[in-house]
């Protein structure tokens, strides 16, 4: 998208909290990945950052007409930030990725391709990390979390923690909303009758700054959320096909 296009084909949503130093390099990479394709917009959802994230975005917006910043007055969490971005997205297809540079935007076209070829059967395409660039301890946490989740939900997904995802906006907005939702998207999209597509992606190091999560906030809420998603899937019912009789 060269001009400020009000109806882009793809909206890229990036949730950020205190990602100073990571903004400009990632915006450039996303734009480079999508430049040859259909029109796009990039929506940064700034979730109450206290560093220079807002200023760095504002400065870039003066030269990047397709860049938008949505700000939460106070921090509401990553799931809320993703949802805000999807609600305000102008395209029917949304791509998400983390704002710290760990997800490589060069995989975005591959995700979009799988979504397009699989339409309308595939509702979401999930990046699956290979060769993780996190510490050994974090990789272990992630492996356990993905293992337990896979055993309980049987969602057929090796890795749901990867921020790189592509999905239909209407499919996402029909999902039940709760804090933590962004970690359970494949299981919930499947619950609504869609298939999930997968693309192997290569993970990178966080470019600058530090992780927003510690062990405990991920572990405890993860267990609670898993119980909730298990219940939601147990209570799945057939979706009625409704016809109005006149
Ligand atoms: N909007 C928002 N984004 C967050 C929050 N916590 C983390 N993020 C973003 O979500 C992405 C992943 O978080 P990160 O701290 O890198 O987690 P990790 O890679 O799993 O250790 C990054 O883009 C963060 O800026 C939050 O509370 N609100
Ligand atoms: Mg990260």
């Amino acid at each position: 998208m060269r001009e400020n296009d009000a109806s882009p084909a793809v909206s890229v949503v990036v949730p950020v909290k205190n990602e100073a130093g990571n903004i400009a390099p990632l915006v450039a990479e996303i734009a480079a990945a999508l430049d040859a394709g259909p029109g796009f917009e990039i929506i940064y959802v700034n979730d109450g950052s206290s560093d220079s994230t807002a200023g760095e975005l504002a400065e870039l917006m003066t030269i990047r007409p397709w860049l938008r910043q949505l700000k939460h007055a106070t921090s509401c969490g990553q799931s809320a930030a993703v949802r805000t971005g999807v609600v305000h997205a102008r395209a029917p297809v949304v791509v998400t990725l983390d704002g710290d540079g760990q997800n490589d935007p060069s995989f975005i076209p591959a995700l979009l391709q799988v979504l397009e070829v699989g339409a309308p059967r595939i509702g979401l395409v999930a990046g699956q990390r290979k060769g993780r660039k996190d510490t050994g301890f974090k990789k272990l946490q992630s492996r356990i979390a993905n293992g337990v989740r896979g055993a309980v939900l049987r969602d057929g997904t090796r890795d749901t923690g990867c921020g790189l995802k592509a999905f239909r906006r209407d499919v996402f907005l029909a999902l039940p909303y709760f804090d933590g939702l962004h970690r359970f998207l494949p299981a919930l999209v499947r619950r609504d009758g869609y298939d999930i597509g997968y693309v192997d992606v290569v993970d990178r190091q966080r470019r600058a700054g530090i992780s927003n999560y510690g062990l405990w906030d991920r572990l405890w809420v993860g267990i609670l959320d898993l119980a909730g998603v298990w219940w939601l899937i147990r209570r799945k019912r057939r979706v009625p096909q409704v016809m109005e009789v006149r």
Side-chain angles (χ1 to χ4, degrees):
M1 187 170 63
R2 275 30 85 177
E3 299 303 317
N4 196 357
D5 189 343
S7 51
V10 179
S11 296
V12 180
V13 170
V14 189
V16 283
K17 185 170 172 191
N18 297 336
E19 296 292 359
N22 293 328
I23 309 294
L26 188 67
V27 166
E29 286 184 324
I30 299 170
L34 287 172
D35 206 32
F40 65 91
E41 64 176 0
I42 302 176
I43 305 174
Y44 267 72
V45 185
N46 178 1
D47 187 45
S49 296
S50 55
D51 64 0
S52 60
T53 294
E56 291 180 23
L57 280 165
E59 196 183 323
L60 270 182
M61 284 162 59
T62 61
I63 51 167
R64 307 279 206 179
W66 32 252
L67 180 61
R68 301 167 67 192
Q69 174 178 197
L70 302 172
K71 241 165 107 171
H72 288 170
T74 55
S75 181
C76 297
Q78 191 177 344
S79 290
V82 170
R83 189 178 161 83
T84 293
V86 179
V87 166
H88 290 86
R90 290 183 284 209
V93 169
V94 175
V95 170
T96 61
L97 77 166
D98 289 352
D100 60 354
Q102 286 204 270
N103 301 140
D104 185 345
S106 67
F107 290 101
I108 293 175
L111 268 81
L112 291 173
Q113 166 89 10
V114 173
L115 190 66
E116 193 183 326
V117 170
R121 189 175 45 82
I122 290 184
L124 175 136
V125 182
Q128 304 285 284
R129 290 170 292 187
K130 289 180 87 170
R132 295 279 302 272
K133 290 291 165 7
D134 286 309
T135 60
F137 182 54
K138 179 129 162 239
K139 276 194 276 200
L140 180 69
Q141 283 175 45
S142 176
R143 191 164 307 151
I144 294 171
N146 273 316
V148 172
R149 193 214 63 255
V152 173
L153 301 182
R154 300 212 177 83
D155 59 359
T157 303
R158 187 176 86 223
D159 176 21
T160 64
C162 179
L164 253 177
K165 295 192 174 77
F167 46 82
R168 276 170 39 196
R169 180 173 178 271
D170 60 335
V171 169
F172 179 96
L173 291 176
L175 300 177
Y177 173 63
F178 57 92
D179 192 16
L181 163 72
H182 68 278
R183 297 200 184 93
F184 294 93
L185 289 172
L188 291 168
V189 168
R190 219 179 253 268
R191 172 180 182 261
D192 282 350
Y194 297 98
D195 288 348
I196 309 298
Y198 298 99
V199 172
D200 281 341
V201 302
V202 182
D203 206 27
R204 308 189 294 193
Q205 307 269 12
R206 166 180 268 282
R207 195 184 302 264
I210 52 164
S211 170
N212 287 277
Y213 297 104
L215 168 62
W216 295 108
D217 37 87
R218 248 192 280 244
L219 185 65
W220 289 123
V221 300
I223 291 169
L224 191 66
D225 292 348
L226 183 57
V229 175
W230 173 83
W231 177 83
L232 277 169
I233 288 165
R234 285 276 302 224
R235 301 303 292 151
K236 175 181 132 170
R237 283 290 171 267
R238 288 174 67 182
V239 182
Q241 286 192 352
V242 183
M243 284 155 285
E244 181 164 355
V245 180
R246 294 180 193 277

